[in-house]
Amino acid sequence: MPDDNRVKFNDAGGYISVIYDNAAWRANLGIRYDNNEIWGSSINPRISGIYKFNNNESAIKFIYGEAFQEPPAQQLYGGWSGREANPDLKPEKANNVEVILMHKTGRWLHDVSLYRASYDNVIREDAINNGGRNISGLEYRGRFEFPHFIDSKNNITGNLYYTYTHAKTDRIYSHSKEIWLDENVTLGDISPHKVNLLVDIPVSQQWNFNMKANYLDRTQLYSRNPLNLQNIEVGSRIIFDSTLSYSNNNWLVSFKALNIFDRKILAPGIQKADSGNDFSKRSLGFSNSLSAQPGRSIWLTVSYKI
């Protein structure tokens, strides 16, 4: 590799953390410093506090943090006729605030969080730093354990997750003018509602069965995607996976089926997602506007632990 096609740089950094802990309270203060020869330095604090109450069966947690994301090498140097590159890219900056409430009941452990994250100096697919994004939402994480419907069997366990995401951006792409405009709109490509359910059922001492269901709500496409001109969205979809496993001494045999019902599913495209769907002529770009997701697959796994 010739020298004029190589980039060498040094990274240096450090992190310091202070923790205060007693019976009911726990606090953490941390500061991280990073310095890069190309894109400069960054100082990022992180603060968290936890208070336990109700005989340690409930807790509330507060988190504030700042961070940066280095520009990827592909966008720094990996340019060609179908992808732009910019060696002058700077890191993205992010800050996040989150409040979490945890509560334990007889058979459930509940975990609810509210959060808001802000991103500045966003690196767009055009390999430029331009724009800001604000993400807010709610997450619920529940873990449960119930007696088996068959006596003498281990308890049935599982998880239930729900996520609501509200993602906004201050840039929108105008397909008629082929430029970016300043407008506060939905970011796109992120499903606003997601649900995940996992149930684990012991069948016997050696056999175990679990079923997982994933639901994603209807999803609006990113503004750069030309399918927006046709008001096309990604429809809601649900996927079922299942695993039957057998364990005996050091052996573990698993039979897994993903996308059991072989749903034909499309997801939003990546990067510019600018190819369009007019297959009668040359595509508009190099990146698919929609991406096909895997159909049914079946896996047999055998492992032995020494």
Side-chain angles (χ1 to χ4, degrees), residues 111-122:
D111 183 332
V112 180
S113 63
L114 293 170
Y115 66 89
R116 179 178 176 83
S118 299
Y119 300 85
D120 296 310
N121 219 25
V122 170

Side-chain angles (χ1 to χ4, degrees), residues 7-301:
V7 176
K8 297 180 180 180
F9 59 84
N10 291 320
D11 271 319
Y15 180 81
I16 185 171
S17 177
V18 178
I19 298 175
Y20 170 78
D21 200 357
N22 68 14
W25 286 92
R26 179 180 176 90
N28 184 304
L29 171 62
I31 298 177
R32 172 173 170 162
Y33 171 78
D34 291 89
N35 184 276
N36 181 280
E37 283 187 320
I38 296 178
W39 42 79
S41 61
S42 179
I43 299 176
N44 297 284
R46 186 180 188 274
I47 303 170
S48 67
I50 303 174
Y51 175 67
K52 301 176 183 178
F53 57 98
N54 195 23
N55 294 324
N56 290 333
E57 291 189 353
S58 301
I60 187 169
K61 184 175 184 179
F62 169 82
I63 302 173
Y64 173 79
E66 297 182 5
F68 72 95
Q69 174 65 54
E70 295 180 355
Q74 183 183 65
Q75 288 187 295
L76 281 167
Y77 313 114
W80 57 290
S81 60
R83 180 176 60 229
E84 298 178 9
N86 180 5
D88 296 323
L89 281 175
K90 299 300 181 182
E92 292 186 9
K93 292 287 292 182
N95 64 75
N96 179 77
V97 178
E98 187 171 5
V99 178
I100 303 170
L101 177 63
M102 302 178 67
H103 178 65
K104 184 178 181 180
T105 63
R107 304 192 180 281
W108 282 84
L109 176 60
H110 304 281
D111 183 332
V112 180
S113 63
L114 293 170
Y115 66 89
R116 179 178 176 83
S118 299
Y119 300 85
D120 296 310
N121 219 25
V122 170
I123 301 174
R124 286 214 316 263
E125 63 275 10
D126 299 303
I128 60 173
N129 294 102
N130 183 259
R133 293 169 181 172
N134 291 297
I135 317 295
S136 58
L138 176 147
E139 291 186 348
Y140 169 78
R141 297 172 289 271
R143 189 169 68 225
F144 57 85
E145 183 174 355
F146 290 97
H148 204 291
F149 50 83
I150 300 177
D151 294 339
S152 75
K153 303 299 181 185
N154 293 331
N155 289 342
I156 297 173
T157 59
N159 299 284
L160 174 63
Y161 300 143
Y162 167 75
T163 301
Y164 168 72
T165 306
H166 182 69
K168 305 290 286 188
T169 178
D170 59 8
R171 297 289 188 275
I172 184 173
Y173 186 77
S174 170
H175 291 274
S176 59
K177 299 178 181 180
E178 296 185 349
I179 59 173
W180 289 90
L181 303 175
D182 295 338
E183 187 175 341
N184 195 29
V185 295
T186 298
L187 178 59
D189 286 359
I190 300 175
S191 177
H193 302 280
K194 302 176 185 177
V195 181
N196 177 278
L197 174 63
L198 171 67
V199 180
D200 196 74
I201 304 175
V203 179
S204 67
Q205 191 67 27
Q206 288 80 30
W207 290 91
N208 192 83
F209 174 78
N210 71 51
M211 175 70 75
K212 182 172 68 174
N214 290 293
Y215 169 80
L216 288 86
D217 197 22
R218 180 176 294 274
T219 305
Q220 182 178 329
L221 296 176
Y222 182 52
S223 66
R224 187 66 176 266
N225 197 319
L227 299 186
N228 280 302
L229 296 172
Q230 305 172 45
N231 296 319
I232 292 177
E233 296 181 334
V234 174
S236 59
R237 56 267 194 211
I238 184 169
I239 297 293
F240 292 93
D241 305 324
S242 183
T243 303
L244 178 65
S245 60
Y246 172 81
S247 61
N248 188 0
N249 297 325
N250 296 336
W251 289 95
L252 176 63
V253 181
S254 298
F255 181 78
K256 180 187 296 184
L258 304 179
N259 192 359
I260 296 173
F261 300 107
D262 199 24
R263 293 285 309 277
K264 309 302 181 185
I265 294 175
L266 296 173
I270 62 173
Q271 298 177 353
K272 295 182 180 181
D274 56 355
S275 66
N277 63 351
D278 187 352
F279 306 116
S280 64
K281 58 184 180 181
R282 186 181 180 91
S283 64
L284 300 176
F286 290 93
S287 301
N288 288 342
S289 293
L290 295 173
S291 300
Q293 300 301 289
R296 182 192 299 118
S297 61
I298 298 175
W299 302 73
L300 177 64
T301 305

